[in-house]
C-alpha cells in the first residue's frame, strides 16, 4: 500500500512536470507568433523599414490619395500574351499604369544601376545612349550608370539630373569582339561584389549600340528580368539560335526553351543578377577550357540560364527593338532600340 501510493505520487509529479514544460513551450511559441505578426504589419501608408519585410518585391504600398483609371479584369490587351506559363507578367504597353507604379516605387527610395560597355570604337555610341537615358530611363529615380571602357578620356560629358550619376571603369582593349561581349558577365559579377552591394537595389545590363525612344521605368522592375529578342518572337522554338552542341554548358536541347531572350538587355534585383552573371561566367570559362565557345557567347549562356531559372518578369520586344526592323502592329511603342551599325567598321575583328 505504501509503495503503491509512492508510485502514484511519482507519476503525478512527472505529469505535472510534463504539463509545466508543455505549457512553457506553448507560451513561448505563442509569444513568437505574436511578435512575428506585429513585425509584419507596417504602419499604414508608411515604409516597411524596421520590419521583417526586406525584399522590394514583396510589399507594394500605394499612396492613399492617388487617383487613377479603374483597372479592368475583363478588358485589356488581347493581341499579345501578357503572362508566361509560370505566371510571370509579360510587359507590353497597355498592361500597366506608369503613374501608379512610379508612386509605389518612389516611396521605396530605390536606386537602379545600369552597366554599359563601350570598348574600342563602340565609344561612339555612348553619347546617344547616355543622352536618351536621361530622357527615358527611370526618370525621377536615383540612377547610377557604370561605363566600362578602354577609352575613359573619350567618355562624353552628359548633363545628368539630380540623383543620377555616371561612373567610369577602365577595362583593357581586346582584339576579339566575342571576348569583349563575353567578359561582360565577369565584370558585372565583380562590380556587384565589390561596389554595389550596399547602395543599389536593381541593376540592368544594356548594350551601348542602342538608344532610348520611350519610357523604360518601374514597370520593368522584378527579381529576374529578361527581354524577348525582337528577331525571333513569332518563330517556332526550333528556329531559335540557341547553342545546339551538347558539349557546351549553354546547350538547349530540341523541344526545349521558352522564348529567345536578348543578351543586350537583362536585369533585376542585385542578388539575382549576381547569380546569373556568376553562373554564366563560370559556364563560359569552363566551356573555353574545353575549347568551345557558344554560338552567341554570353547570350547563349543567358538563354540556358533563363530556361532553368525562369525570369519573374519578361519584357516584350518594346524593350529592345532593332532600328532596321519595321515596327510590328503589336508593338505600340519602341522604348529601346539597337542602332544600325556597320560591323566591319566598328568591330576589331569580323
Ligand atoms: N562591345 C564593345 N566593343 C566591341 C564589341 C562589343 O564595347 O568591340 C560591347 C558593346 O556594349 C556592345 C555589346 O558589347 O553593345 C554587344 O556587342 P554588339 O552590340 O556588337 O552585339 P550585337 O548587338 O550586334 O549582337
Ligand atoms: Mn548590340
Amino acid at each position: 500500500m505504501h509503495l503503491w501510493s509512492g508510485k502514484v505520487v511519482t507519476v503525478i509529479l512527472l505529469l505535472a512536470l510534463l504539463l509545466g514544460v508543455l505549457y512553457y513551450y506553448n507560451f513561448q511559441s505563442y509569444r513568437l507568433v505574436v511578435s512575428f505578426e506585429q513585425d509584419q504589419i507596417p504602419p499604414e501608408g508608411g515604409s516597411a523599414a524596421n520590419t521583417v519585410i526586406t525584399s522590394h518585391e514583396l510589399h507594394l504600398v500605394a499612396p492613399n490619395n492617388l487617383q487613377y483609371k479603374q483597372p479592368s479584369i475583363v478588358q485589356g490587351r488581347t493581341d499579345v500574351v501578357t503572362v508566361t506559363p509560370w505566371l510571370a507578367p509579360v510587359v507590353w504597353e497597355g498592361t500597366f499604369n506608369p503613374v501608379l507604379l512610379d508612386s509605389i516605387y518612389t516611396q521605396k527610395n530605390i536606386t537602379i544601376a545600369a552597366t554599359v560597355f563601350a570598348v574600342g570604337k563602340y565609344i561612339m555610341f555612348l553619347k546617344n545612349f547616355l543622352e536618351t537615358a536621361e530622357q527615358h530611363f527611370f526618370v525621377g529615380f536615383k540612377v547610377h550608370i557604370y561605363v566600362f571602357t578602354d577609352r575613359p578620356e573619350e567618355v562624353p560629358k552628359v548633363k545628368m539630373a539630380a540623383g543620377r550619376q555616371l561612373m567610369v571603369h577602365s577595362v583593357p582593349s581586346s582584339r576579339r569582339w566575342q571576348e569583349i561581349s563575353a567578359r561582360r558577365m565577369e565584370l558585372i559579377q565583380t562590380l556587384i561584389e565589390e561596389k554595389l552591394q550596399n547602395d543599389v537595389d536593381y541593376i540592368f545590363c544594356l548594350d551601348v549600340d542602342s538608344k532610348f525612344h520611350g519610357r523604360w521605368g518601374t514597370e520593368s522592375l522584378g527579381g529576374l528580368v529578361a527581354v524577348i529578342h525582337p528577331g525571333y518572337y513569332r518563330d517556332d522554338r526550333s528556329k531559335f539560335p540557341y547553342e545546339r552542341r551538347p558539349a557546351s554548358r549553354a546547350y538547349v536541347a530540341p523541344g526545349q526553351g521558352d522564348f529567345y531572350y536578348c543578351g543586350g538587355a537583362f536585369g533585376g534585383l542585385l542578388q539575382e543578377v549576381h547569380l546569373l552573371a556568376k553562373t554564366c561566367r563560370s559556364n563560359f570559362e569552363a566551356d573555353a577550357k574545353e575549347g568551345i565557345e557558344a554560338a552567341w557567347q554570353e547570350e547563349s549562356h543567358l538563354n540556358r540560364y533563363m530556361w532553368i531559372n525562369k525570369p519573374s518578369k519578361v519584357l516584350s520586344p518594346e524593350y529592345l527593338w532593332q532600328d532596321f526592323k519595321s515596327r510590328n502592329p503589336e508593338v505600340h511603342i519602341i522604348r529601346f532600340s539597337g542602332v544600325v551599325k556597320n560591323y566591319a567598321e566598328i568591330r576589331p575583328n569580323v
Side-chain angles (χ1 to χ4, degrees):
M1 194 70 174
H2 184 73
L3 204 70
W4 183 81
S5 68
K7 268 185 191 160
V8 169
V9 169
T10 314
V11 168
I12 287 171
L13 276 175
L14 277 173
L15 269 174
L17 195 68
L18 192 70
L19 277 172
V21 168
L22 275 175
Y23 177 77
Y24 175 77
Y25 274 105
N26 202 23
F27 180 67
Q28 281 293 318
S29 58
Y30 170 74
R31 277 187 27 183
L32 279 177
V33 168
V34 168
S35 62
F36 185 67
E37 278 173 356
Q38 278 171 349
D39 281 351
Q40 289 262 347
I41 304 164
E44 199 202 351
S47 88
N50 303 324
T51 73
V52 289
I53 299 162
T54 51
S55 171
H56 288 292
E57 285 302 294
L58 294 179
H59 202 86
L60 305 179
V61 179
N64 183 32
N65 54 2
L66 189 72
Q67 300 265 326
Y68 59 92
K69 187 171 172 268
Q70 180 189 352
S72 173
I73 206 74
V74 285
Q75 276 171 342
R77 292 285 301 252
T78 51
D79 56 337
V80 286
V81 171
T82 59
V83 67
T84 68
W86 58 95
L87 298 179
V90 185
V91 183
W92 293 92
E93 178 70 353
T95 60
F96 62 90
N97 184 324
V99 176
L100 170 60
L101 278 164
D102 281 357
S103 66
I104 290 171
Y105 282 95
T106 298
Q107 297 193 79
K108 288 178 181 284
N109 195 24
I110 53 166
T111 300
I112 302 108
T115 61
V116 63
F117 288 73
V119 179
K121 291 186 183 161
Y122 278 61
I123 192 88
M124 66 187 275
F125 300 114
L126 191 57
K127 187 164 188 282
N128 244 323
F129 175 95
L130 293 173
E131 282 177 353
T132 57
E134 272 300 290
Q135 292 159 20
H136 301 293
F137 186 70
F138 286 95
V139 175
F141 286 83
K142 285 189 282 178
V143 172
H144 297 175
I145 299 186
Y146 290 83
V147 173
F148 291 84
T149 182
D150 56 342
R151 304 181 182 188
E153 70 289 348
E154 287 180 44
V155 171
K157 301 264 172 300
V158 172
K159 198 175 163 355
M160 295 176 86
R164 301 171 73 96
Q165 321 172 8
L166 189 75
M167 264 73 73
V168 181
H169 285 246
S170 285
V171 293
S173 316
S174 175
R175 287 205 314 264
R176 286 185 73 240
W177 64 264
Q178 293 91 336
E179 201 173 287
I180 300 167
S181 174
R183 274 207 71 210
R184 287 192 287 181
M185 288 296 185
E186 176 195 341
L187 291 160
I188 291 163
Q189 180 195 343
T190 325
L191 177 76
I192 295 175
E193 286 167 6
E194 293 176 359
K195 294 253 154 53
L196 307 189
Q197 303 252 31
N198 296 321
D199 26 270
V200 165
D201 305 291
Y202 294 93
I203 182 169
F204 286 94
C205 309
L206 306 169
D207 262 20
V208 73
D209 59 332
S210 18
K211 271 176 16 180
F212 292 90
H213 300 271
R215 174 195 162 98
W216 178 323
T218 48
E219 74 285 357
S220 68
L221 295 175
L224 181 62
V225 182
V227 181
I228 306 260
H229 196 294
Y232 307 92
Y233 71 96
R234 291 168 162 205
D235 293 343
D236 189 84
R237 50 160 63 135
S238 61
K239 302 241 176 59
F240 293 168
Y242 291 139
E243 173 53 57
R244 299 298 190 184
R245 292 165 296 175
S248 168
R249 286 154 186 83
Y251 176 61
V252 178
Q256 296 187 339
D258 301 302
F259 309 110
Y260 191 74
Y261 301 110
C262 290
F266 58 89
L269 276 176
L270 206 63
Q271 299 85 332
E272 287 284 347
V273 176
H274 178 251
L275 188 60
L276 169 127
K278 196 174 153 189
T279 310
C280 290
R281 177 212 176 166
S282 86
N283 287 340
F284 185 90
E285 287 176 359
D287 268 12
K289 276 209 186 95
E290 292 168 12
I292 188 159
E293 184 175 270
W296 290 101
Q297 298 81 37
E298 88 290 8
E299 183 170 85
S300 306
H301 286 278
L302 175 116
N303 270 281
R304 166 77 208 177
Y305 184 88
M306 298 280 185
W307 162 242
I308 303 298
N309 307 273
K310 303 297 193 202
S312 56
K313 188 168 276 182
V314 173
L315 306 181
S316 70
E318 298 166 358
Y319 288 82
L320 188 40
W321 199 250
Q322 285 166 335
D323 282 357
F324 66 78
K325 272 175 79 75
S326 56
R327 195 170 54 77
N328 290 338
E330 65 273 15
V331 175
H332 294 179
I333 173 178
I334 292 171
R335 304 170 189 281
F336 189 57
S337 179
V339 303
V340 177
K341 61 186 192 284
N342 180 345
Y343 284 99
E345 213 170 80
I346 52 158
R347 280 181 170 173
N349 60 309
V350 279

